[in-house]
Each structure stands twice: as C-alpha cells, then as structure tokens.
Amino acid sequence: LMNALMARQLATTLGKTAPHISTYAVCPGFCRTSLGRHVSFPLYKKIMFAPIMLMIQRTCVQGSQNIIHATLEAKETMQSGSMYRDGEVANDETDFLDSLDEDLPKKLWDLSEKLLGKK
C-alpha cells in the first residue's frame, strides 16, 4: 500500500518538474522464495500447508515478469503513478487507493521526508 502511495506521490511531484520520468508500483504476487527460511514452523504445519502453498504461490520467475514488464513496456502504454500486476493496472488495488483520502500520498511523502531528516 505504501509503495503504491509513494509511486503515486512521486508521479505527482515529478510531473511538475520532470514529466519525462515515470513511476510505477509493481506487485509481483505471492511468490515462493526463501524469505521465510529462518521462520520456524512445526513439521506438521509445514506438511499440512505445503500442498496449498505450492498451488497458490508463483515462482520467482513468474513474479519477476511483472517487474520486467514495467521496465521494458513502452512509456506511452503505461500510466505513471499506477500499480501494476500481471502486466496491467491492478484495478482492485487502484480502486482502493482512490477510495482513500486524496491527501494521503502527500502526507506519507511528508512523513517520510521528516523521518529521513530531509525537512
């Protein structure tokens, strides 16, 4: 959510000063990685959930296709500040972002600058 909000605010900010730069938030989906390798689960849970996870998780290659798409696709076919999934605008997520406070991306941007000591 924050990634999408920051991409939206960055597109707004850069649109004024550098309109030739585009920003996108990309969702790779629920990918099978080794990020949870240090999380300990009892063996019975691993056995119970493994088949379900194998059915719903994407491979790293499948998840990376979304990032590659946003990188290589022609700028004219993409919407700066939008969130993409599976090579297209993620409509559910975009609708949710649109339902939030219009000032929320700016507030998050300002908070980030404050926490980083930039303001």
Side-chain angles (χ1 to χ4, degrees):
L1 176 63
M2 286 192 219
N3 188 15
L5 290 170
M6 291 300 274
R8 188 173 276 196
Q9 181 59 36
L10 186 58
T12 301
T13 302
L14 291 176
K16 298 172 188 171
T17 58
H20 59 283
I21 298 175
S22 299
T23 62
Y24 313 107
V26 180
C27 178
F30 185 37
C31 295
R32 187 171 36 254
T33 65
S34 60
L35 286 175
R37 66 186 172 274
H38 299 295
V39 178
S40 58
F41 283 103
L43 182 61
Y44 76 92
K45 285 186 179 181
K46 289 181 182 178
I47 293 170
M48 189 170 66
F49 287 113
I52 296 168
M53 293 303 192
L54 287 173
M55 289 183 345
I56 63 174
Q57 287 181 319
R58 297 175 177 202
T59 65
C60 293
V61 172
Q62 291 170 322
S64 67
Q65 292 299 317
N66 291 311
I67 298 166
I68 292 169
H69 172 79
T71 304
L72 299 178
E73 188 66 23
K75 178 182 173 183
E76 296 77 29
T77 63
M78 305 279 283
Q79 297 173 1
S80 186
S82 293
M83 182 171 186
Y84 283 84
R85 174 184 282 170
D86 298 328
E88 56 189 30
V89 174
N91 290 321
D92 291 340
E93 290 83 353
T94 301
D95 291 344
F96 179 72
L97 290 174
D98 290 342
S99 72
L100 299 173
D101 181 15
E102 280 185 24
D103 296 332
L104 188 59
K106 177 72 172 132
K107 290 176 184 175
L108 179 62
W109 184 272
D110 291 342
L111 176 63
S112 298
E113 283 186 330
K114 181 180 175 186
L115 292 172
L116 292 171
K118 301 288 182 181
K119 241 183 183 177

